[in-house]
Amino acid sequence: MTSPASVPAPATVLVFLDPAFEGGRVADASKPQLMATDLGATRGDGVFESLLAVGGRPRKIQAHLTRLAGSARLLELDIPAGAAWRRAVETAIGEYRRQDPAVTAAGGTDDDEVVVKLLVTRGPEGAASPTCWVQASAPGAAGRRQRETGIDVILLDRGYDSEVGERAPWLLLGAKTLSYAVNMAALRYAHEHGADDVIFTSADGRVLEGPTSTVLLAHLETTDDGAGGVRTIRRLITPQLDSGILPGTSQGALFTAAKAAGWELGYGPLEPKDLLDADAVWLISSIRLLAPVNHIDGQEIGTPELRRQLTAELNALFATIE
């Protein structure tokens, strides 16, 4: 008899938003579901969000719904309201966990993870409305490993300056679109050169973001506490949000938690030397979560002990975020 632990989890669960089905229409992921002429496939014309569900509960769902709606507006896509997405997300997570032998064998767990994607395409040429669905699947092993061991990154020039987003809004730099070919090419380039990930820089020398993540850095500063002792100021900094980067939902949530815990916050502008001089640097995203950066272009960031300490502090704060 095969043990539950050796039975693979379901590959993918698809739930299409459909007015005829209040909780969405569950579709067979092993069969074709989109037209070959769908503009999402032929032109990358669409938007998406990715979030993590832990123990059956989606994290930061309102932040993702807000960003999805903003991306859709930039592409002039008329998508369903948030309530319909919430119901479809609940259906997808529930169906995935129902099929997952590891969850069913344990009677439900508090820490099982499910990757949930909200996807929108413009549909086939001439379609009256976009195609919208939710996808639930297992997280990749690399993400969890990189949270624990950290990553090595390289700096890559994105090829335009940090003000291009204001001059050329049609570039859709503030939208999370399906057009991720450049981002994936950057990651392949990093892997070919012995790195795990990338931090993009602008043509005018500003730090931007990762292909699938937001950049964070920390500085510790010791100062007089006014009573004959010393206190440590913890400062968390991210690139300017008006520099042509995607506002990070995880970065925003972590900043809120860090501020409540007494951290000082800052928003760039940042240059590569700021990363190299930091006490710690992370790439943060909704699926991989907080990945400490060990080296940038071969140079170690901070010390292993300090990276572990600060990562543990921020992970504890991030764990409180719903």
Side-chain angles (χ1 to χ4, degrees), residues 11 37 46 49 67 74 94 135 152 170 179 186 205 216 222 248 260 296 303:
T37 55
E49 284 290 322
R67 193 168 67 178
L74 288 172
Q135 173 182 309
D152 292 338
W170 52 87
S179 303
L216 297 176
T222 301
I296 297 177
T303 65

Side-chain angles (χ1 to χ4, degrees), residues 31-95:
K31 297 180 179 178
Q33 298 296 334
L34 295 180
M35 296 286 291
T37 55
D38 192 294
L39 293 173
T42 60
R43 295 184 178 175
D45 194 354
V47 297
F48 78 104
E49 284 290 322
S50 299
L51 61 92
L52 193 67
V54 181
R57 296 178 296 277
R59 302 187 69 182
K60 303 185 281 81
I61 186 168
Q62 185 55 55
H64 286 286
L65 290 173
T66 298
R67 193 168 67 178
L68 182 73
S71 296
R73 282 194 298 272
L74 288 172
L75 271 71
E76 300 182 17
L77 291 167
D78 185 15
I79 66 173
W85 285 102
R86 284 180 179 271
R87 290 192 294 269
V89 166
E90 182 178 353
T91 299
I93 295 172
E95 181 66 16

Side-chain angles (χ1 to χ4, degrees), residues 43-312:
R43 295 184 178 175
D45 194 354
V47 297
F48 78 104
E49 284 290 322
S50 299
L51 61 92
L52 193 67
V54 181
R57 296 178 296 277
R59 302 187 69 182
K60 303 185 281 81
I61 186 168
Q62 185 55 55
H64 286 286
L65 290 173
T66 298
R67 193 168 67 178
L68 182 73
S71 296
R73 282 194 298 272
L74 288 172
L75 271 71
E76 300 182 17
L77 291 167
D78 185 15
I79 66 173
W85 285 102
R86 284 180 179 271
R87 290 192 294 269
V89 166
E90 182 178 353
T91 299
I93 295 172
E95 181 66 16
Y96 182 91
R97 298 182 84 229
R98 185 186 68 78
Q99 296 181 28
D100 187 342
V103 174
T104 55
T109 66
D110 292 330
D111 59 358
D112 64 277
E113 296 183 356
V114 181
V115 173
V116 181
K117 292 187 176 182
L118 288 61
L119 298 113
V120 180
T121 76
R122 200 171 296 277
E125 190 82 45
S129 59
T131 303
C132 305
W133 73 99
V134 174
Q135 173 182 309
S137 57
R144 186 184 292 272
R145 182 177 66 251
Q146 290 177 358
R147 293 179 213 167
E148 298 170 353
T149 63
I151 55 177
D152 292 338
V153 309
I154 57 175
L155 300 177
L156 292 183
D157 187 345
R158 199 175 227 176
Y160 51 73
D161 65 64
S162 60
E163 298 179 355
V164 69
E166 295 182 4
R167 295 197 313 272
W170 52 87
L171 293 178
L172 302 175
L173 297 182
K176 193 173 178 69
T177 73
L178 293 174
S179 303
Y180 256 47
V182 170
N183 290 356
M184 298 301 99
L187 287 175
R188 289 193 298 273
Y189 183 89
H191 298 159
E192 290 165 2
H193 290 77
D196 302 298
D197 214 317
V198 167
I199 293 177
F200 285 124
T201 59
S202 66
D204 53 341
R206 299 292 174 84
V207 174
L208 297 174
E209 59 190 343
T212 62
S213 58
T214 304
V215 178
L216 297 176
L217 66 85
H219 280 293
L220 301 187
E221 180 182 337
T222 301
T223 185
D224 190 334
D225 67 0
V230 296
R231 67 185 182 98
T232 300
I233 298 173
R234 286 165 163 73
R235 185 172 294 112
L236 196 59
I237 307 171
T238 197
Q240 286 177 293
L241 299 181
D242 61 356
S243 59
I245 65 175
L246 186 72
T249 61
S250 295
Q251 170 268 315
L254 183 58
F255 263 39
T256 298
K259 183 177 181 180
W263 287 64
E264 293 187 358
L265 308 178
Y267 291 89
L270 296 174
E271 300 177 357
K273 65 180 179 62
D274 296 311
L275 299 176
L276 300 177
D277 292 340
D279 290 307
V281 175
W282 301 268
L283 294 185
I284 185 171
S285 59
S286 293
I287 306 303
R288 186 172 54 184
L289 306 180
L290 203 62
V293 175
N294 298 330
H295 299 87
I296 297 177
D297 285 346
Q299 179 172 326
E300 185 170 15
I301 305 302
T303 65
E305 181 179 355
L306 191 52
R307 287 198 302 271
R308 285 193 294 270
Q309 173 194 329
L310 292 174
T311 299

